[in-house]
Coordinates of all heavy atoms in Angstrom, one line a residue:
T369 N -4.4 -9.6 -0.2 CA -3.4 -9.4 0.8 C -4.1 -9.7 2.2 O -5.3 -9.8 2.2 CB -2.9 -7.9 0.9 OG1 -4.0 -7.1 1.4 CG2 -2.6 -7.4 -0.5
A370 N -3.3 -9.8 3.2 CA -3.9 -10.0 4.5 C -4.1 -8.7 5.3 O -4.4 -8.7 6.5 CB -3.0 -11.0 5.3
A371 N -3.9 -7.6 4.6 CA -4.0 -6.3 5.3 C -5.4 -6.1 5.8 O -6.4 -6.5 5.2 CB -3.6 -5.2 4.3
R372 N -5.5 -5.4 7.0 CA -6.9 -5.1 7.6 C -7.0 -3.6 7.6 O -6.0 -2.8 7.8 CB -6.9 -5.6 9.0 CG -7.0 -7.1 9.2 CD -7.0 -7.4 10.7 NE -5.9 -6.9 11.4 CZ -6.0 -6.3 12.6 NH1 -7.1 -6.3 13.3 NH2 -4.9 -5.8 13.2
L373 N -8.3 -3.1 7.6 CA -8.6 -1.7 7.8 C -8.9 -1.5 9.3 O -9.8 -2.2 9.9 CB -9.8 -1.3 7.0 CG -10.2 0.2 7.1 CD1 -9.1 1.1 6.5 CD2 -11.5 0.4 6.4
I374 N -8.1 -0.7 10.0 CA -8.3 -0.5 11.5 C -8.5 1.0 11.8 O -8.1 1.8 11.0 CB -7.1 -1.1 12.3 CG1 -5.8 -0.5 11.9 CG2 -7.0 -2.6 12.1 CD1 -4.6 -0.9 12.8
D375 N -9.0 1.2 13.0 CA -9.2 2.7 13.3 C -7.9 3.2 14.1 O -7.0 2.4 14.4 CB -10.5 2.9 14.1 CG -10.5 2.1 15.4 OD1 -9.4 1.7 15.9 OD2 -11.6 1.9 16.0
I376 N -7.9 4.5 14.3 CA -6.7 5.1 14.9 C -6.4 4.5 16.3 O -5.3 4.2 16.6 CB -6.9 6.6 15.0 CG1 -7.0 7.2 13.6 CG2 -5.8 7.3 15.8 CD1 -7.3 8.7 13.6
D377 N -7.5 4.3 17.1 CA -7.2 3.7 18.5 C -6.5 2.4 18.4 O -5.6 2.1 19.1 CB -8.6 3.6 19.2 CG -9.1 4.9 19.6 OD1 -8.3 5.9 19.6 OD2 -10.3 5.0 19.9
T378 N -7.1 1.5 17.5 CA -6.5 0.2 17.3 C -5.0 0.3 16.9 O -4.1 -0.4 17.3 CB -7.3 -0.7 16.3 OG1 -8.7 -0.6 16.7 CG2 -6.9 -2.1 16.3
A379 N -4.8 1.2 15.9 CA -3.4 1.3 15.4 C -2.5 1.7 16.5 O -1.3 1.2 16.6 CB -3.4 2.4 14.3
L380 N -2.9 2.6 17.4 CA -2.0 3.1 18.4 C -1.8 2.0 19.4 O -0.7 2.0 20.1 CB -2.6 4.4 19.1 CG -2.6 5.6 18.2 CD1 -3.4 6.7 18.8 CD2 -1.2 6.0 17.9
L381 N -2.7 1.1 19.5 CA -2.5 -0.1 20.4 C -1.6 -1.1 19.8 O -0.7 -1.7 20.5 CB -3.9 -0.7 20.7 CG -4.6 -0.3 21.9 CD1 -6.0 -1.1 22.0 CD2 -3.8 -0.6 23.2
E382 N -1.9 -1.4 18.5 CA -1.3 -2.6 17.9 C 0.0 -2.4 17.1 O 0.8 -3.3 17.0 CB -2.3 -3.3 16.9 CG -3.5 -3.9 17.6 CD -4.4 -4.6 16.6 OE1 -4.1 -4.6 15.4 OE2 -5.4 -5.2 17.1
C383 N 0.1 -1.2 16.5 CA 1.2 -1.0 15.5 C 2.4 -0.3 16.2 O 2.3 0.7 17.0 CB 0.8 -0.1 14.4 SG -0.6 -0.8 13.5
D384 N 3.6 -0.9 15.9 CA 4.8 -0.3 16.4 C 5.5 0.6 15.4 O 6.3 1.5 15.8 CB 5.8 -1.4 16.8 CG 5.2 -2.5 17.7 OD1 4.9 -2.2 18.8 OD2 4.9 -3.6 17.1
I385 N 5.2 0.4 14.2 CA 5.7 1.3 13.1 C 4.6 2.0 12.5 O 3.6 1.4 12.1 CB 6.5 0.4 12.0 CG1 7.6 -0.3 12.6 CG2 6.9 1.3 10.9 CD1 8.4 -1.2 11.6
L386 N 4.7 3.3 12.3 CA 3.6 4.1 11.7 C 4.3 4.8 10.4 O 5.3 5.5 10.6 CB 3.1 5.2 12.6 CG 2.3 4.6 13.8 CD1 1.9 5.8 14.7 CD2 1.1 3.8 13.5
V387 N 3.6 4.7 9.3 CA 4.0 5.3 8.1 C 2.9 6.4 7.7 O 1.8 6.0 7.4 CB 4.2 4.3 6.9 CG1 4.8 5.1 5.7 CG2 5.2 3.2 7.3
T388 N 3.2 7.6 7.9 CA 2.2 8.7 7.6 C 2.2 9.0 6.2 O 3.1 9.7 5.7 CB 2.4 9.9 8.5 OG1 3.6 10.6 8.0 CG2 2.6 9.6 10.0
L389 N 1.1 8.6 5.5 CA 1.0 8.8 4.0 C 0.1 10.0 3.6 O 0.2 10.5 2.5 CB 0.6 7.5 3.4 CG 1.6 6.4 3.5 CD1 1.0 5.1 3.1 CD2 2.9 6.7 2.8
V390 N -0.8 10.3 4.5 CA -1.8 11.4 4.2 C -1.9 12.3 5.5 O -1.9 11.8 6.6 CB -3.2 10.9 3.9 CG1 -4.1 12.0 3.5 CG2 -3.1 9.9 2.8
D391 N -2.0 13.6 5.3 CA -2.0 14.6 6.4 C -3.4 14.9 6.8 O -3.8 16.0 7.0 CB -1.2 15.8 6.0 CG -1.5 16.3 4.6 OD1 -2.1 15.6 3.8 OD2 -1.1 17.5 4.3
H392 N -4.2 13.8 7.0 CA -5.6 14.0 7.6 C -5.5 14.7 8.9 O -4.6 14.4 9.7 CB -6.3 12.7 7.8 CG -6.7 12.0 6.5 ND1 -7.3 12.6 5.5 CD2 -6.7 10.6 6.2 CE1 -7.5 11.7 4.5 NE2 -7.2 10.5 4.9
D393 N -6.4 15.6 9.2 CA -6.5 16.3 10.5 C -6.5 15.3 11.6 O -6.0 15.5 12.7 CB -7.7 17.2 10.6 CG -7.5 18.5 9.7 OD1 -6.3 18.7 9.3 OD2 -8.5 19.2 9.5
A394 N -7.3 14.2 11.4 CA -7.4 13.2 12.5 C -6.1 12.6 12.9 O -5.9 12.2 14.0 CB -8.4 12.1 12.0
F395 N -5.2 12.5 11.9 CA -3.8 12.0 12.2 C -3.0 13.0 12.9 O -2.2 12.7 13.9 CB -3.1 11.5 11.0 CG -3.8 10.4 10.2 CD1 -3.5 10.2 8.9 CD2 -4.7 9.5 10.8 CE1 -4.1 9.1 8.2 CE2 -5.3 8.5 10.2 CZ -5.0 8.3 8.8
K396 N -3.1 14.2 12.4 CA -2.3 15.3 13.0 C -2.6 15.5 14.5 O -1.8 15.9 15.3 CB -2.6 16.6 12.3 CG -2.0 16.8 10.9 CD -2.1 18.2 10.5 CE -2.0 18.5 9.0 NZ -2.4 19.8 8.6
A397 N -3.8 15.2 14.8 CA -4.3 15.5 16.2 C -3.8 14.4 17.2 O -4.0 14.6 18.4 CB -5.8 15.5 16.2
I398 N -3.1 13.4 16.7 CA -2.6 12.4 17.7 C -1.5 13.0 18.5 O -0.4 13.4 17.9 CB -2.1 11.1 16.9 CG1 -3.3 10.5 16.2 CG2 -1.5 10.1 17.9 CD1 -2.9 9.4 15.2
P399 N -1.6 13.1 19.8 CA -0.6 13.8 20.6 C 0.7 12.9 20.7 O 0.6 11.7 20.6 CB -1.2 14.0 21.9 CG -2.3 13.0 22.0 CD -2.7 12.7 20.6
L400 N 1.8 13.6 21.0 CA 3.1 12.8 21.1 C 3.0 11.7 22.1 O 3.5 10.6 21.9 CB 4.2 13.8 21.5 CG 5.5 13.2 21.8 CD1 6.1 12.5 20.5 CD2 6.5 14.3 22.2
A401 N 2.3 12.0 23.2 CA 2.2 11.0 24.3 C 1.7 9.7 23.8 O 2.1 8.6 24.3 CB 1.3 11.5 25.4
E402 N 0.8 9.7 22.8 CA 0.2 8.4 22.3 C 1.1 7.8 21.3 O 0.8 6.6 20.9 CB -1.1 8.7 21.7 CG -2.2 9.0 22.7 CD -3.6 8.8 22.1 OE1 -4.1 9.8 21.5 OE2 -4.2 7.7 22.3
R403 N 2.1 8.4 20.8 CA 2.9 7.9 19.7 C 4.4 7.9 20.0 O 5.3 7.6 19.1 CB 2.6 8.6 18.4 CG 2.8 10.1 18.4 CD 2.5 10.7 17.1 NE 2.3 12.2 17.3 CZ 3.3 13.1 17.4 NH1 4.5 12.7 17.3 NH2 3.0 14.3 17.6
A404 N 4.7 8.3 21.3 CA 6.2 8.5 21.6 C 7.0 7.2 21.5 O 8.2 7.3 21.2 CB 6.3 9.0 23.0
D405 N 6.3 6.0 21.6 CA 7.1 4.8 21.6 C 7.1 4.1 20.2 O 7.5 3.0 20.0 CB 6.6 3.8 22.6 CG 5.1 3.4 22.4 OD1 4.5 4.2 21.6 OD2 4.7 2.4 22.9
K406 N 6.6 4.9 19.2 CA 6.5 4.3 17.9 C 7.7 4.6 17.0 O 8.3 5.7 17.2 CB 5.2 4.9 17.1 CG 3.9 4.8 17.9 CD 3.5 3.4 18.1 CE 2.1 3.4 18.8 NZ 1.8 2.0 19.3
I407 N 8.0 3.8 16.1 CA 8.9 4.1 15.0 C 8.1 4.8 13.9 O 7.2 4.2 13.5 CB 9.7 2.9 14.5 CG1 10.5 2.2 15.7 CG2 10.5 3.2 13.3 CD1 11.1 0.9 15.3
V408 N 8.5 6.0 13.5 CA 7.7 6.7 12.6 C 8.4 7.0 11.3 O 9.6 7.5 11.4 CB 7.2 8.0 13.2 CG1 6.4 8.8 12.2 CG2 6.3 7.7 14.4
Y409 N 7.8 6.7 10.2 CA 8.3 7.3 8.9 C 7.3 8.3 8.5 O 6.2 8.1 8.0 CB 8.4 6.2 7.8 CG 8.9 6.6 6.5 CD1 9.3 7.9 6.2 CD2 8.9 5.7 5.4 CE1 9.8 8.3 5.0 CE2 9.3 6.1 4.1 CZ 9.8 7.4 3.9 OH 10.2 7.8 2.7
D410 N 7.6 9.6 8.8 CA 6.7 10.7 8.7 C 6.8 11.3 7.3 O 7.3 12.4 7.1 CB 7.0 11.8 9.7 CG 5.8 12.7 9.9 OD1 4.8 12.6 9.2 OD2 5.9 13.6 10.8
V411 N 6.2 10.6 6.3 CA 6.3 11.0 4.9 C 5.7 12.3 4.6 O 6.2 13.1 3.8 CB 5.6 9.9 4.0 CG1 5.8 10.3 2.5 CG2 6.2 8.5 4.2
R412 N 4.7 12.7 5.4 CA 4.0 14.0 5.2 C 4.5 15.1 6.2 O 4.0 16.2 6.1 CB 2.5 13.8 5.3 CG 1.9 13.1 4.2 CD 1.6 14.0 3.0 NE 0.8 13.3 2.0 CZ 0.4 13.8 0.9 NH1 0.7 15.1 0.6 NH2 -0.3 13.2 0.0
G413 N 5.4 14.7 7.1 CA 5.8 15.7 8.1 C 4.7 16.2 9.0 O 4.7 17.3 9.5
I414 N 3.7 15.3 9.3 CA 2.6 15.8 10.0 C 2.8 16.0 11.5 O 2.1 16.8 12.2 CB 1.3 14.9 9.9 CG1 1.6 13.5 10.5 CG2 0.9 14.8 8.5 CD1 0.4 12.6 10.5
W415 N 3.9 15.4 12.0 CA 4.1 15.5 13.4 C 5.4 16.3 13.7 O 6.0 16.2 14.7 CB 4.2 14.2 14.1 CG 2.9 13.5 14.1 CD1 1.7 14.0 14.3 CD2 2.7 12.1 13.9 NE1 0.7 13.1 14.3 CE2 1.3 11.8 14.0 CE3 3.5 10.9 13.7 CZ2 0.7 10.6 13.9 CZ3 2.9 9.7 13.5 CH2 1.5 9.5 13.6
H416 N 5.8 17.1 12.7 CA 7.1 17.8 12.8 C 6.9 19.2 13.5 O 7.7 19.6 14.4 CB 7.8 18.0 11.5 CG 9.1 18.7 11.7 ND1 9.2 20.1 11.6 CD2 10.3 18.2 11.9 CE1 10.5 20.4 11.8 NE2 11.2 19.3 12.0
D417 N 5.9 19.9 13.1 CA 5.8 21.3 13.5 C 4.9 21.6 14.7 O 4.4 22.6 14.8 CB 5.4 22.1 12.3 CG 4.0 21.6 11.7 OD1 3.5 20.6 12.3 OD2 3.6 22.1 10.7
Q418 N 4.8 20.6 15.6 CA 4.1 20.9 16.8 C 5.1 21.2 17.9 O 5.9 20.4 18.3 CB 3.3 19.7 17.2 CG 2.2 19.3 16.2 CD 1.5 18.1 16.5 OE1 1.5 17.6 17.6 NE2 0.8 17.5 15.5

Side-chain angles (χ1 to χ4, degrees):
T369 74
R372 290 178 305 141
L373 182 68
I374 58 174
D375 62 18
I376 293 175
D377 288 344
T378 312
L380 292 171
L381 267 179
E382 290 184 0
C383 300
D384 308 291
I385 299 177
L386 297 177
V387 183
T388 69
L389 297 169
V390 183
D391 41 347
H392 288 318
D393 287 347
F395 297 158
K396 286 193 199 165
I398 299 170
L400 176 62
E402 287 198 277
R403 54 182 163 80
D405 62 341
K406 310 293 183 195
I407 296 175
V408 175
Y409 179 8
D410 196 358
V411 181
R412 288 277 187 181
I414 63 174
W415 292 323
H416 182 271
D417 54 3
Q418 298 175 14

